Amino acid sequence: MDEKPRGRLKPDRVPIPSIKPAERISSFDECLLLYTKEQAIEEAQRCIQCARPWCVEACPIDQDCRLYLKQIAEGDFEGAVGTILKDNPMASCLGKVCYSYCEPACVIGKRGDPVAIRHLKWAALAYGNGSRTYELEWIRDKAVAIVGFGPAGLTAAWVLARRGYAVTVFESSHKLGGLVTQTIPPYRLSPETFGEDMRRLEHLKIEFRQGVRVGDDLDVKDLFDMGYAAIFIGIGTHKPGTLNVPGNDLPGVYIALDFLKSVFDGDRPPIGGTVAIIGGGDVAVDCSRTVLRLGVDKSIILYRRTRDEMPAFDEEVEDALAEGVEVRYLVSPIEFRGRDVVESVVCQKMELGPLDESGRRRPVPVKGEEIVLPVDHVIVAIGQKADLSVIPDMGLRIDKDGIVVANPETCETSIEGIFAGGGRSIVHAMATGRRAAESIAKYLEGKAVTPTAASPQ
Ligand SMILES: Cc1cc2nc3c(=O)[nH]c(=O)nc-3n(C[C@H](O)[C@H](O)[C@H](O)COP(=O)(O)OP(=O)(O)OC[C@H]3O[C@@H](n4cnc5c(N)ncnc54)[C@H](O)[C@@H]3O)c2cc1C
Ligand code: SF4
Ligand code: SF4
């Protein structure tokens, strides 16, 4: 980065308002609060409008945040909404829970706090006309099937429907939105927020067939016989990782994704007392904060490395700690014990060794040092991956994040007319959905499928 903050730089961010930790754990209401109009304008005015906007380059969907910040700084919230929605069909969700890849790239961060780019997206939508809809521009006679309606499928559907293709979505869940609506807790993202994004799509020609699991209810290739000229597969990462330790099948040991899905579907599994959550990622942190809101006495994250290596988004870890979640570092569960239900977790003490292939220091056991932690429940949150059993023989593989990888530049699979994508965050998944849709459009127009300008992230 060669851009240097110039002029009268304001290093301090206008603080993002939120509900106090002690108060917010008594409900699932959203914790972050909106800036006032005046606060939004003041915060946006901190942007120095860099000639080379590193923030835009860092955004996987190339959201033109420099422009929307300028518009907000001038009080033009309507203009800002137009700028945002042009690139972003999930702007309402991303304004609240994007992992804001743009912000660490912001040059103001060199001397102070980066501009609150994500939070200002929310402000723009709230104070401009965020409820405007996308309009159908023209109609073509070809139809495309989208398998899975998470952020990748939604974005692919948005691009293709706006280009006039008839889109049909096949979604196994009764909920649309994928992991966003099935698992992201409402205290970070209310279901109504996803509803705002969905309402903007209502004039496009997108048909929904829910409760259809492709691979079980019908085969991917059957979709061609049904008349679809191309298929996009965006099935996400719904196959949970399992911990192969004795006692992992004891009652009271939950799998994180299943646990979150059932809580947010209204079916609250019995939980209370001391809950140990195994893992150090965002899913573990979301479980730790969710169980607090379900009224448990203690929520303890067990992580085998240290805070520095923890993959969870820093802001979330801070929020969890403020709410009273305890984190024990350098411990790895080796057994769950209990007679009829889980009663304790036996942990091996760890220390950090040399770097591993992920570039982080590898945890190695400290011989002879074990601790036994009495617990009432355990939640295992050690990752999840795509379930490729439903879509065999397409030349697909799973990357280190568990995500389906087709051709990373064009999203083509080894079967003509079938494309695939997904991502480790909402905005990464959206980027692959857009890339795949661009490829599908070229394929349907009989053009060579070549990479689009936006590079894979
Ligand atoms: C607890 C949790 C919290 C998270 N928090 C954040 C966050 O704050 N910010 C962020 O950016 N990201 C977050 N993520 C990650 C984000 O949700 C995912 O990266 C994103 O949803 C991936 O999008 P996708 O479209 O690839 O897959 P998904 O969202 O998983 O969508 C795939 C869809 O396909 C459907 N499906 C699966 N198999 C089939 C089939 N065979 N037939 C038909 N339909 C099928 C599924 O039901 C699902 O609706 C979080 C994830 C979790 C689990
Ligand atoms: S948000 Fe930061 S990096 Fe982006 S244009 Fe403004 S000051 Fe520059
Ligand atoms: S979508 Fe996310 S990464 Fe992109 S500009 Fe918005 S907050 Fe930043």
Side-chain angles (χ1 to χ4, degrees), residues 3 46-50 52-56 65-66 69 102 105-108 115 117:
E3 192 91 34
R46 294 176 62 232
C47 170
I48 57 169
Q49 293 290 306
C50 302
R52 178 162 181 190
W54 299 99
C55 50
V56 179
C65 45
R66 177 178 60 173
L69 293 175
C102 49
C106 170
V107 292
I108 309 285
V115 177
I117 303 172

Side-chain angles (χ1 to χ4, degrees), residues 59 63 94 98 100-102 118 121 427:
C59 173
Q63 173 92 83
L94 288 176
C98 184
S100 41
Y101 300 97
C102 49
R118 180 188 76 188
K121 202 189 303 293
V427 72

